[in-house]
Amino acid sequence: MIKSCEPNNENYSCPIEKTLSIIGSKWTLLILRDLSNGTKRFGQLQKSLKGISPKTLSSRLQELEKEGIIIKKVYPEVPPRVEYTFTPKGERLRKIVLALADWGSEDHTALGV
Amino acid sequence: MIKSCEPNNENYSCPIEKTLSIIGSKWTLLILRDLSNGTKRFGQLQKSLKGISPKTLSSRLQELEKEGIIIKKVYPEVPPRVEYTFTPKGERLRKIVLALADWGSEDHTALGV
DNA sequence: CTGCATCCCTAAGGATACTG
DNA sequence: CAGTATCCTTAGGGATGCAG
């Protein structure tokens, strides 16, 4: 039983709203999808997420890091290398993303079934 | 293992993109949340989704109906009564929405754990 | 009550150039 | 390579009025 948010409850009292605030933007789920196959670098993500701008990718990654979903590892080399990996919390989210993918790939020929 | 979308694959070859195209807009997940507690009328939804405009609610409901996620039942009364309920396909999606809610309500004090 | 039609507005992203 | 800084565009929604 999920409760709707009470009118006087602010700042994501409702878990769905909180989740939405984290993964609700355009590219986030796709980033998680691509990270699902293992650690990736900034450039790799930019390539696999055909069409994303570096600005947006950077923003989304920062959000995910701040939320404790991914970890950013910087190698002090030149040229710089940066890798992104799921945290345990991210791993749990990943499972759900996989479920969404499964759901999305169901056969829909029999509408509504 | 989720594959990224191949550059030359169009129209949501990737399940996540397809799912995103269905539930990706601002209110959809919240509508599903509120429908999670059982059949609801248009007006009920508009009330529990504090802030949504009738235009948007109408659009999202139509999309969900077209995708076979919910069923719209119209009672030929006056004033009109309309009810929205999950289809079996919608029920499966509902389970995942519940999982997202669970994930969102986890304790995040220990960041990344 | 349900839900279109209109008009309007803002914030999320795109494109690009630049730096450590 | 991995971003940041700027500028600019657009489409998703908000508000409102009206209709069956």
Side-chain angles (χ1 to χ4, degrees):
Chain A
M1 172 85 159
I2 310 182
K3 287 181 306 186
S4 298
C5 296
E6 300 305 321
N8 50 349
N9 283 345
E10 284 155 21
N11 298 89
Y12 313 128
S13 60
C14 143
I16 292 282
E17 286 193 359
K18 182 173 177 51
T19 302
L20 219 45
S21 75
I22 298 174
I23 64 161
S25 41
K26 185 176 178 185
W27 289 97
T28 308
L29 238 38
L30 301 177
I31 293 176
L32 296 181
R33 171 199 66 188
D34 287 4
L35 241 34
S36 248
N37 298 333
T39 298
K40 286 232 165 56
R41 305 178 55 168
F42 189 93
Q44 288 182 296
L45 287 171
Q46 198 173 7
K47 229 166 295 171
S48 57
L49 297 165
K50 204 66 187 175
I52 197 173
S53 68
K55 168 191 158 191
T56 301
L57 179 54
S58 179
S59 300
R60 297 296 85 80
L61 288 172
Q62 283 180 28
E63 288 175 10
L64 290 173
E65 192 192 3
K66 181 178 301 180
E67 292 296 334
I69 294 169
I70 62 175
I71 284 191
K72 172 182 181 173
K73 186 165 186 184
V74 182
Y75 295 84
E77 311 170 352
V78 45
R81 181 161 57 110
V82 177
E83 290 182 347
Y84 295 93
T85 320
F86 279 120
T87 63
K89 176 180 172 186
E91 270 298 326
R92 292 195 290 280
L93 181 54
R94 175 179 169 271
K95 302 271 178 53
I96 306 180
V97 174
L98 289 176
L100 283 172
D102 279 351
W103 181 87
S105 59
E106 284 176 1
D107 183 23
H108 300 146
T109 44
L111 222 60
V113 179
Chain B
M1 171 86 160
I2 311 182
K3 287 181 305 186
S4 298
C5 296
E6 300 304 320
N8 49 351
N9 284 344
E10 283 155 22
N11 299 87
Y12 313 128
S13 60
C14 143
I16 293 281
E17 286 194 359
K18 180 173 180 51
T19 302
L20 220 44
S21 74
I22 298 175
I23 62 161
S25 41
K26 184 176 177 184
W27 290 98
T28 308
L29 238 39
L30 301 177
I31 293 175
L32 296 180
R33 171 200 66 187
D34 287 3
L35 242 33
S36 250
N37 299 334
T39 299
K40 285 232 164 57
R41 303 178 55 168
F42 189 91
Q44 288 182 296
L45 287 171
Q46 199 175 4
K47 229 165 298 172
S48 57
L49 297 165
K50 205 65 187 174
I52 195 172
S53 68
K55 168 192 157 191
T56 302
L57 178 54
S58 180
S59 300
R60 296 295 87 78
L61 288 172
Q62 282 179 29
E63 289 175 7
L64 290 173
E65 193 193 2
K66 182 178 300 180
E67 291 295 335
I69 293 169
I70 62 175
I71 284 191
K72 171 183 183 173
K73 185 165 187 184
V74 182
Y75 295 84
E77 311 169 355
V78 47
R81 180 160 58 109
V82 178
E83 290 182 348
Y84 296 92
T85 320
F86 278 120
T87 64
K89 176 180 172 184
E91 270 299 325
R92 290 195 291 281
L93 181 53
R94 175 179 169 272
K95 302 273 179 51
I96 305 179
V97 174
L98 290 176
L100 282 173
D102 279 351
W103 180 88
S105 58
E106 284 177 1
D107 182 23
H108 299 145
T109 43
L111 222 62
V113 179

mmCIF file of all heavy atoms in Angstrom, chain B residues 31 35 38-45 57-58 61-62 64-65 70-75 82-87, chain C residues 2-4:
data_model
loop_
_atom_site.group_PDB
_atom_site.id
_atom_site.type_symbol
_atom_site.label_atom_id
_atom_site.label_comp_id
_atom_site.label_asym_id
_atom_site.label_seq_id
_atom_site.Cartn_x
_atom_site.Cartn_y
_atom_site.Cartn_z
ATOM 1 N N ILE B 31 0.890 8.691 -10.881
ATOM 2 C CA ILE B 31 -0.442 8.172 -11.209
ATOM 3 C C ILE B 31 -0.502 6.687 -10.889
ATOM 4 O O ILE B 31 -1.458 6.202 -10.276
ATOM 5 C CB ILE B 31 -0.760 8.406 -12.698
ATOM 6 C CG1 ILE B 31 -0.893 9.908 -12.972
ATOM 7 C CG2 ILE B 31 -2.027 7.679 -13.110
ATOM 8 C CD1 ILE B 31 -1.092 10.255 -14.437
ATOM 9 N N LEU B 35 -2.941 4.789 -8.291
ATOM 10 C CA LEU B 35 -3.796 3.710 -8.778
ATOM 11 C C LEU B 35 -3.479 2.392 -8.061
ATOM 12 O O LEU B 35 -4.269 1.448 -8.091
ATOM 13 C CB LEU B 35 -3.595 3.539 -10.289
ATOM 14 C CG LEU B 35 -4.815 3.766 -11.206
ATOM 15 C CD1 LEU B 35 -5.724 4.834 -10.638
ATOM 16 C CD2 LEU B 35 -4.357 4.111 -12.595
ATOM 17 N N GLY B 38 -5.939 0.817 -5.747
ATOM 18 C CA GLY B 38 -7.224 0.373 -6.276
ATOM 19 C C GLY B 38 -7.806 1.335 -7.291
ATOM 20 O O GLY B 38 -7.264 2.411 -7.537
ATOM 21 N N THR B 39 -8.893 0.909 -7.898
ATOM 22 C CA THR B 39 -9.593 1.704 -8.903
ATOM 23 C C THR B 39 -9.865 3.122 -8.415
ATOM 24 O O THR B 39 -10.216 3.326 -7.267
ATOM 25 C CB THR B 39 -10.931 1.023 -9.239
ATOM 26 O OG1 THR B 39 -10.656 -0.272 -9.772
ATOM 27 C CG2 THR B 39 -11.724 1.830 -10.254
ATOM 28 N N LYS B 40 -9.660 4.064 -9.304
ATOM 29 C CA LYS B 40 -9.884 5.468 -8.951
ATOM 30 C C LYS B 40 -10.577 6.230 -10.077
ATOM 31 O O LYS B 40 -10.458 5.880 -11.242
ATOM 32 C CB LYS B 40 -8.547 6.143 -8.631
ATOM 33 C CG LYS B 40 -7.978 5.761 -7.284
ATOM 34 C CD LYS B 40 -7.627 6.992 -6.465
ATOM 35 C CE LYS B 40 -7.437 6.638 -5.014
ATOM 36 N NZ LYS B 40 -6.394 5.601 -4.854
ATOM 37 N N ARG B 41 -11.279 7.276 -9.707
ATOM 38 C CA ARG B 41 -11.940 8.133 -10.679
ATOM 39 C C ARG B 41 -11.028 9.284 -11.070
ATOM 40 O O ARG B 41 -10.051 9.580 -10.369
ATOM 41 C CB ARG B 41 -13.242 8.688 -10.092
ATOM 42 C CG ARG B 41 -14.186 7.631 -9.643
ATOM 43 C CD ARG B 41 -15.427 8.238 -9.043
ATOM 44 N NE ARG B 41 -16.080 9.176 -9.982
ATOM 45 C CZ ARG B 41 -17.296 9.657 -9.791
ATOM 46 N NH1 ARG B 41 -17.994 9.319 -8.720
ATOM 47 N NH2 ARG B 41 -17.828 10.488 -10.674
ATOM 48 N N PHE B 42 -11.387 9.924 -12.158
ATOM 49 C CA PHE B 42 -10.602 11.063 -12.641
ATOM 50 C C PHE B 42 -10.423 12.112 -11.545
ATOM 51 O O PHE B 42 -9.305 12.552 -11.262
ATOM 52 C CB PHE B 42 -11.293 11.688 -13.855
ATOM 53 C CG PHE B 42 -10.474 12.726 -14.562
ATOM 54 C CD1 PHE B 42 -9.635 12.376 -15.604
ATOM 55 C CD2 PHE B 42 -10.541 14.060 -14.186
ATOM 56 C CE1 PHE B 42 -8.884 13.327 -16.268
ATOM 57 C CE2 PHE B 42 -9.774 15.024 -14.840
ATOM 58 C CZ PHE B 42 -8.957 14.657 -15.878
ATOM 59 N N GLY B 43 -11.524 12.485 -10.929
ATOM 60 C CA GLY B 43 -11.480 13.522 -9.910
ATOM 61 C C GLY B 43 -10.664 13.135 -8.693
ATOM 62 O O GLY B 43 -9.964 13.963 -8.109
ATOM 63 N N GLN B 44 -10.760 11.859 -8.324
ATOM 64 C CA GLN B 44 -9.967 11.373 -7.183
ATOM 65 C C GLN B 44 -8.484 11.519 -7.461
ATOM 66 O O GLN B 44 -7.713 11.951 -6.593
ATOM 67 C CB GLN B 44 -10.293 9.900 -6.912
ATOM 68 C CG GLN B 44 -11.661 9.654 -6.308
ATOM 69 C CD GLN B 44 -11.867 8.176 -6.028
ATOM 70 O OE1 GLN B 44 -11.887 7.372 -6.956
ATOM 71 N NE2 GLN B 44 -12.019 7.812 -4.766
ATOM 72 N N LEU B 45 -8.104 11.127 -8.673
ATOM 73 C CA LEU B 45 -6.699 11.234 -9.047
ATOM 74 C C LEU B 45 -6.255 12.693 -9.033
ATOM 75 O O LEU B 45 -5.172 13.022 -8.547
ATOM 76 C CB LEU B 45 -6.479 10.634 -10.436
ATOM 77 C CG LEU B 45 -6.555 9.111 -10.495
ATOM 78 C CD1 LEU B 45 -6.551 8.626 -11.933
ATOM 79 C CD2 LEU B 45 -5.381 8.504 -9.737
ATOM 80 N N LEU B 57 -3.269 15.343 -16.656
ATOM 81 C CA LEU B 57 -3.802 14.082 -16.158
ATOM 82 C C LEU B 57 -4.478 13.300 -17.274
ATOM 83 O O LEU B 57 -4.265 12.101 -17.446
ATOM 84 C CB LEU B 57 -4.790 14.341 -15.018
ATOM 85 C CG LEU B 57 -5.467 13.115 -14.424
ATOM 86 C CD1 LEU B 57 -4.443 12.093 -13.976
ATOM 87 C CD2 LEU B 57 -6.381 13.513 -13.257
ATOM 88 N N SER B 58 -5.264 14.020 -18.052
ATOM 89 C CA SER B 58 -5.944 13.387 -19.178
ATOM 90 C C SER B 58 -4.961 12.760 -20.164
ATOM 91 O O SER B 58 -5.131 11.620 -20.603
ATOM 92 C CB SER B 58 -6.803 14.438 -19.890
ATOM 93 O OG SER B 58 -7.471 13.869 -20.984
ATOM 94 N N LEU B 61 -3.228 9.638 -18.685
ATOM 95 C CA LEU B 61 -4.152 8.506 -18.596
ATOM 96 C C LEU B 61 -4.390 7.898 -19.973
ATOM 97 O O LEU B 61 -4.452 6.668 -20.119
ATOM 98 C CB LEU B 61 -5.483 8.968 -17.981
ATOM 99 C CG LEU B 61 -5.429 9.273 -16.484
ATOM 100 C CD1 LEU B 61 -6.732 9.914 -16.009
ATOM 101 C CD2 LEU B 61 -5.149 7.994 -15.687
ATOM 102 N N GLN B 62 -4.494 8.750 -20.975
ATOM 103 C CA GLN B 62 -4.684 8.237 -22.330
ATOM 104 C C GLN B 62 -3.485 7.409 -22.789
ATOM 105 O O GLN B 62 -3.636 6.356 -23.410
ATOM 106 C CB GLN B 62 -4.911 9.388 -23.304
ATOM 107 C CG GLN B 62 -6.322 9.949 -23.259
ATOM 108 C CD GLN B 62 -6.505 11.100 -24.229
ATOM 109 O OE1 GLN B 62 -5.846 11.160 -25.254
ATOM 110 N NE2 GLN B 62 -7.396 12.019 -23.879
ATOM 111 N N LEU B 64 -1.384 5.811 -20.868
ATOM 112 C CA LEU B 64 -1.359 4.559 -20.111
ATOM 113 C C LEU B 64 -2.399 3.577 -20.649
ATOM 114 O O LEU B 64 -2.162 2.375 -20.689
ATOM 115 C CB LEU B 64 -1.607 4.846 -18.622
ATOM 116 C CG LEU B 64 -0.464 5.557 -17.901
ATOM 117 C CD1 LEU B 64 -0.875 5.952 -16.491
ATOM 118 C CD2 LEU B 64 0.774 4.654 -17.862
ATOM 119 N N GLU B 65 -3.524 4.123 -21.069
ATOM 120 C CA GLU B 65 -4.563 3.260 -21.627
ATOM 121 C C GLU B 65 -4.109 2.687 -22.970
ATOM 122 O O GLU B 65 -4.256 1.491 -23.240
ATOM 123 C CB GLU B 65 -5.860 4.055 -21.800
ATOM 124 C CG GLU B 65 -7.071 3.178 -22.083
ATOM 125 C CD GLU B 65 -8.257 3.993 -22.557
ATOM 126 O OE1 GLU B 65 -8.123 5.226 -22.701
ATOM 127 O OE2 GLU B 65 -9.318 3.391 -22.795
ATOM 128 N N ILE B 70 -3.524 0.540 -18.148
ATOM 129 C CA ILE B 70 -4.752 0.737 -17.378
ATOM 130 C C ILE B 70 -5.968 0.589 -18.292
ATOM 131 O O ILE B 70 -5.847 0.646 -19.512
ATOM 132 C CB ILE B 70 -4.806 2.131 -16.712
ATOM 133 C CG1 ILE B 70 -4.800 3.214 -17.775
ATOM 134 C CG2 ILE B 70 -3.662 2.307 -15.752
ATOM 135 C CD1 ILE B 70 -4.960 4.612 -17.221
ATOM 136 N N ILE B 71 -7.106 0.378 -17.667
ATOM 137 C CA ILE B 71 -8.364 0.297 -18.406
ATOM 138 C C ILE B 71 -9.292 1.394 -17.917
ATOM 139 O O ILE B 71 -9.394 1.662 -16.729
ATOM 140 C CB ILE B 71 -9.029 -1.086 -18.198
ATOM 141 C CG1 ILE B 71 -8.300 -2.127 -19.031
ATOM 142 C CG2 ILE B 71 -10.502 -1.035 -18.563
ATOM 143 C CD1 ILE B 71 -9.014 -3.448 -19.103
ATOM 144 N N LYS B 72 -9.921 2.022 -18.881
ATOM 145 C CA LYS B 72 -10.842 3.111 -18.581
ATOM 146 C C LYS B 72 -12.273 2.593 -18.708
ATOM 147 O O LYS B 72 -12.659 2.033 -19.735
ATOM 148 C CB LYS B 72 -10.617 4.244 -19.577
ATOM 149 C CG LYS B 72 -11.626 5.368 -19.540
ATOM 150 C CD LYS B 72 -11.284 6.374 -20.653
ATOM 151 C CE LYS B 72 -12.229 7.573 -20.608
ATOM 152 N NZ LYS B 72 -11.793 8.613 -21.585
ATOM 153 N N LYS B 73 -13.022 2.757 -17.652
ATOM 154 C CA LYS B 73 -14.413 2.305 -17.689
ATOM 155 C C LYS B 73 -15.346 3.506 -17.518
ATOM 156 O O LYS B 73 -15.270 4.217 -16.524
ATOM 157 C CB LYS B 73 -14.662 1.287 -16.580
ATOM 158 C CG LYS B 73 -16.065 0.684 -16.644
ATOM 159 C CD LYS B 73 -16.156 -0.573 -15.790
ATOM 160 C CE LYS B 73 -17.510 -1.257 -15.991
ATOM 161 N NZ LYS B 73 -17.673 -2.430 -15.103
ATOM 162 N N VAL B 74 -16.190 3.694 -18.509
ATOM 163 C CA VAL B 74 -17.104 4.833 -18.488
ATOM 164 C C VAL B 74 -18.511 4.373 -18.130
ATOM 165 O O VAL B 74 -19.057 3.475 -18.760
ATOM 166 C CB VAL B 74 -17.137 5.531 -19.861
ATOM 167 C CG1 VAL B 74 -18.057 6.750 -19.804
ATOM 168 C CG2 VAL B 74 -15.743 5.933 -20.299
ATOM 169 N N TYR B 75 -19.071 4.997 -17.108
ATOM 170 C CA TYR B 75 -20.445 4.690 -16.734
ATOM 171 C C TYR B 75 -21.375 5.720 -17.379
ATOM 172 O O TYR B 75 -21.213 6.919 -17.142
ATOM 173 C CB TYR B 75 -20.597 4.719 -15.217
ATOM 174 C CG TYR B 75 -19.807 3.639 -14.535
ATOM 175 C CD1 TYR B 75 -18.455 3.829 -14.242
ATOM 176 C CD2 TYR B 75 -20.392 2.419 -14.195
ATOM 177 C CE1 TYR B 75 -17.715 2.833 -13.621
ATOM 178 C CE2 TYR B 75 -19.660 1.430 -13.569
ATOM 179 C CZ TYR B 75 -18.323 1.642 -13.287
ATOM 180 O OH TYR B 75 -17.582 0.663 -12.683
ATOM 181 N N VAL B 82 -16.123 8.007 -14.469
ATOM 182 C CA VAL B 82 -15.091 7.273 -15.192
ATOM 183 C C VAL B 82 -14.131 6.677 -14.185
ATOM 184 O O VAL B 82 -13.715 7.351 -13.252
ATOM 185 C CB VAL B 82 -14.315 8.198 -16.154
ATOM 186 C CG1 VAL B 82 -13.210 7.437 -16.850
ATOM 187 C CG2 VAL B 82 -15.259 8.821 -17.167
ATOM 188 N N GLU B 83 -13.806 5.403 -14.379
ATOM 189 C CA GLU B 83 -12.885 4.746 -13.453
ATOM 190 C C GLU B 83 -11.683 4.148 -14.177
ATOM 191 O O GLU B 83 -11.812 3.628 -15.278
ATOM 192 C CB GLU B 83 -13.627 3.644 -12.676
ATOM 193 C CG GLU B 83 -14.625 4.207 -11.671
ATOM 194 C CD GLU B 83 -15.297 3.091 -10.895
ATOM 195 O OE1 GLU B 83 -15.164 1.912 -11.295
ATOM 196 O OE2 GLU B 83 -15.949 3.381 -9.882
ATOM 197 N N TYR B 84 -10.556 4.200 -13.517
ATOM 198 C CA TYR B 84 -9.332 3.675 -14.090
ATOM 199 C C TYR B 84 -8.784 2.543 -13.221
ATOM 200 O O TYR B 84 -8.686 2.672 -12.009
ATOM 201 C CB TYR B 84 -8.301 4.787 -14.221
ATOM 202 C CG TYR B 84 -8.721 5.871 -15.179
ATOM 203 C CD1 TYR B 84 -9.413 6.995 -14.732
ATOM 204 C CD2 TYR B 84 -8.456 5.755 -16.538
ATOM 205 C CE1 TYR B 84 -9.808 7.992 -15.618
ATOM 206 C CE2 TYR B 84 -8.848 6.741 -17.433
ATOM 207 C CZ TYR B 84 -9.523 7.863 -16.969
ATOM 208 O OH TYR B 84 -9.919 8.837 -17.847
ATOM 209 N N THR B 85 -8.431 1.456 -13.875
ATOM 210 C CA THR B 85 -7.926 0.279 -13.169
ATOM 211 C C THR B 85 -6.740 -0.307 -13.923
ATOM 212 O O THR B 85 -6.623 -0.154 -15.133
ATOM 213 C CB THR B 85 -9.023 -0.803 -13.096
ATOM 214 O OG1 THR B 85 -10.285 -0.188 -12.847
ATOM 215 C CG2 THR B 85 -8.724 -1.817 -12.021
ATOM 216 N N PHE B 86 -5.881 -0.999 -13.213
ATOM 217 C CA PHE B 86 -4.751 -1.673 -13.837
ATOM 218 C C PHE B 86 -5.196 -2.856 -14.693
ATOM 219 O O PHE B 86 -6.119 -3.587 -14.336
ATOM 220 C CB PHE B 86 -3.787 -2.213 -12.770
ATOM 221 C CG PHE B 86 -2.847 -1.175 -12.238
ATOM 222 C CD1 PHE B 86 -2.837 -0.857 -10.893
ATOM 223 C CD2 PHE B 86 -1.961 -0.524 -13.082
ATOM 224 C CE1 PHE B 86 -1.958 0.095 -10.398
ATOM 225 C CE2 PHE B 86 -1.081 0.436 -12.591
ATOM 226 C CZ PHE B 86 -1.088 0.742 -11.243
ATOM 227 N N THR B 87 -4.533 -3.065 -15.795
ATOM 228 C CA THR B 87 -4.620 -4.323 -16.531
ATOM 229 C C THR B 87 -3.603 -5.275 -15.913
ATOM 230 O O THR B 87 -2.803 -4.863 -15.075
ATOM 231 C CB THR B 87 -4.251 -4.118 -18.005
ATOM 232 O OG1 THR B 87 -2.877 -3.715 -18.050
ATOM 233 C CG2 THR B 87 -5.128 -3.066 -18.650
ATOM 234 P P DT C 2 -14.905 12.472 -12.441
ATOM 235 O OP1 DT C 2 -14.851 11.031 -12.212
ATOM 236 O OP2 DT C 2 -14.038 13.379 -11.686
ATOM 237 O "O5'" DT C 2 -14.741 12.741 -14.005
ATOM 238 C "C5'" DT C 2 -15.568 12.037 -14.907
ATOM 239 C "C4'" DT C 2 -15.302 12.475 -16.330
ATOM 240 O "O4'" DT C 2 -15.760 13.829 -16.547
ATOM 241 C "C3'" DT C 2 -13.828 12.454 -16.755
ATOM 242 O "O3'" DT C 2 -13.749 11.864 -18.029
ATOM 243 C "C2'" DT C 2 -13.449 13.929 -16.776
ATOM 244 C "C1'" DT C 2 -14.760 14.563 -17.214
ATOM 245 N N1 DT C 2 -14.934 16.000 -16.877
ATOM 246 C C2 DT C 2 -15.340 16.853 -17.887
ATOM 247 O O2 DT C 2 -15.564 16.495 -19.023
ATOM 248 N N3 DT C 2 -15.477 18.163 -17.500
ATOM 249 C C4 DT C 2 -15.266 18.686 -16.229
ATOM 250 O O4 DT C 2 -15.432 19.878 -16.014
ATOM 251 C C5 DT C 2 -14.840 17.738 -15.232
ATOM 252 C C7 DT C 2 -14.589 18.206 -13.833
ATOM 253 C C6 DT C 2 -14.695 16.450 -15.598
ATOM 254 P P DG C 3 -12.357 11.322 -18.604
ATOM 255 O OP1 DG C 3 -12.622 10.222 -19.552
ATOM 256 O OP2 DG C 3 -11.442 11.103 -17.486
ATOM 257 O "O5'" DG C 3 -11.900 12.558 -19.471
ATOM 258 C "C5'" DG C 3 -12.723 12.931 -20.558
ATOM 259 C "C4'" DG C 3 -12.298 14.261 -21.083
ATOM 260 O "O4'" DG C 3 -12.755 15.312 -20.201
ATOM 261 C "C3'" DG C 3 -10.777 14.445 -21.194
ATOM 262 O "O3'" DG C 3 -10.483 15.050 -22.429
ATOM 263 C "C2'" DG C 3 -10.495 15.419 -20.061
ATOM 264 C "C1'" DG C 3 -11.733 16.281 -20.206
ATOM 265 N N9 DG C 3 -11.932 17.306 -19.203
ATOM 266 C C8 DG C 3 -11.568 17.281 -17.879
ATOM 267 N N7 DG C 3 -11.840 18.400 -17.251
ATOM 268 C C5 DG C 3 -12.413 19.223 -18.216
ATOM 269 C C6 DG C 3 -12.893 20.542 -18.135
ATOM 270 O O6 DG C 3 -12.904 21.293 -17.167
ATOM 271 N N1 DG C 3 -13.400 20.979 -19.360
ATOM 272 C C2 DG C 3 -13.434 20.229 -20.515
ATOM 273 N N2 DG C 3 -13.955 20.806 -21.595
ATOM 274 N N3 DG C 3 -12.977 18.986 -20.597
ATOM 275 C C4 DG C 3 -12.485 18.547 -19.431
ATOM 276 P P DC C 4 -10.009 14.039 -23.589
ATOM 277 O OP1 DC C 4 -10.683 12.727 -23.601
ATOM 278 O OP2 DC C 4 -8.542 14.106 -23.495
ATOM 279 O "O5'" DC C 4 -10.465 14.822 -24.904
ATOM 280 C "C5'" DC C 4 -9.670 15.895 -25.333
ATOM 281 C "C4'" DC C 4 -10.541 17.045 -25.781
ATOM 282 O "O4'" DC C 4 -11.109 17.699 -24.620
ATOM 283 C "C3'" DC C 4 -9.691 18.081 -26.498
ATOM 284 O "O3'" DC C 4 -10.340 18.521 -27.664
ATOM 285 C "C2'" DC C 4 -9.484 19.173 -25.473
ATOM 286 C "C1'" DC C 4 -10.715 19.064 -24.590
ATOM 287 N N1 DC C 4 -10.383 19.461 -23.206
ATOM 288 C C2 DC C 4 -10.623 20.779 -22.795
ATOM 289 O O2 DC C 4 -11.107 21.579 -23.600
ATOM 290 N N3 DC C 4 -10.304 21.144 -21.522
ATOM 291 C C4 DC C 4 -9.776 20.254 -20.684
ATOM 292 N N4 DC C 4 -9.490 20.644 -19.447
ATOM 293 C C5 DC C 4 -9.512 18.909 -21.094
ATOM 294 C C6 DC C 4 -9.826 18.557 -22.348
#
